[in-house]
Structure formats: C-alpha cells, structure tokens
Amino acid sequence: MSLTTTMTELEQLLALEQIRNTKARYCRYIDTKAWDELGDVFAPDAVADFSTEGNPIPVLTGRDTIVQVFRDLVDPAVTVHHVHSAEVEFVSDTEAKVISPMEDWVTFPEGNENKSFHGFGHYHETFVKIDGQWCIQHTSLKRLRLDLFE
C-alpha cells in the first residue's frame, strides 16, 4: 500500500477513506453545480489535464481557474460522474498516487456549442495532505471510450 511512509496501517486506511471521500465530493459538487465547494477538493496550485481528444477543456493550473472553467463549461449541462474502486499508493505520509475507473455522462442543452457525451476511462491523480485534508494536486483523465451525441 505504500512506498516510503511512516503511517500505520490504520492511518493508511483512514487516509484511503479520506481520499475516496474527496473524490466522491468532486463528482457530487460538479453534478450538483456546487461551484463554491468544488474548490475545497483541490490544492491551491492544482493542475487538471482533461485535454483528451474531443474534450474542450485545456490543461488548467490553479484551483480558482479549474473551478471557473468547470463553471463556465458545464453549468448549463446535466452531468453524472461516477468513480469506482480507487487504487491508492502512498508515496509518503502526505502524498498518494491514485487511479480511479470512471464513467461520465454530460448532456448539453439543445443549441449549446458543445457536444453531449458518454465516456469511460481512468483518473490518474496525485493527492496531497494539506492542513489535515487530502486534496487533489494533479488530475488527468485517460479515456478508454468516448461516445459523442448531437
């Protein structure tokens, strides 16, 4: 479960649940359009790379930028994000590498310039512990399948 950590097994299990809860909140905040809360899941200098083929989101740097781009892009859409069975590897007491299988449905209203889609893939992420909270430091999405809809 870990590389170079002094965390006990119990501490690692608690951290694992905190990491999973952070990612669950990420999904819920996007889907419920809780933009003010979405920033809480990211480190201040976080990086988000969702620049896969067909995705209009560029590489984003900084918590405020990430939240603003999400707000601007998907606020008019109905979104459903699911993550499953995260693999977590603790690099240290304050850093973890996480891979989570994912599925997302994003449906834009008629007339929106963006295409609706249903996708599958994996989030590849680095989480860091800041002031006792596990936050997303870096996230990228590697898609396995992306179905676009008119």
Side-chain angles (χ1 to χ4, degrees), residues 4 7 13-14 22-23 27 33 38 44 48 58 85 99 111 129 132 144-145:
T4 56
M7 295 166 49
L13 285 172
L14 291 171
T22 297
K23 192 62 182 183
C27 293
K33 315 300 188 249
L38 180 61
S85 305
I99 300 174
K129 191 173 186 180
L144 300 173
R145 179 177 177 145

Side-chain angles (χ1 to χ4, degrees), residues 6 30-31 33 96 100 123 140-141:
T6 60
I30 291 173
D31 293 344
K33 315 300 188 249
S100 302
Y123 284 107
S140 66
L141 178 55

Side-chain angles (χ1 to χ4, degrees), residues 68-112:
Q68 189 61 50
V69 168
F70 269 105
R71 180 193 309 254
D72 292 347
L73 183 64
V74 300
D75 195 62
V78 174
T79 63
V80 179
H81 290 80
H82 288 177
V83 293
H84 315 277
S85 305
E87 300 172 55
V88 178
E89 179 180 22
F90 291 97
V91 177
S92 72
D93 293 354
T94 59
E95 182 178 341
K97 299 293 184 186
V98 181
I99 300 174
S100 302
M102 61 74 64
E103 176 181 5
D104 59 353
W105 277 91
V106 178
T107 308
F108 289 97
E110 189 173 324
N112 189 287

Side-chain angles (χ1 to χ4, degrees), residues 112-149:
N112 189 287
E113 65 185 36
N114 295 305
K115 290 190 176 198
S116 299
F117 61 89
H118 183 200
F120 301 87
H122 295 90
Y123 284 107
H124 292 256
E125 298 177 304
T126 301
F127 279 69
V128 292
K129 191 173 186 180
I130 301 173
D131 296 329
Q133 300 294 317
W134 286 93
C135 303
I136 300 169
Q137 176 66 53
H138 185 272
T139 183
S140 66
L141 178 55
K142 308 296 183 206
R143 290 203 179 268
L144 300 173
R145 179 177 177 145
L146 182 64
D147 297 322
L148 299 174
F149 303 98

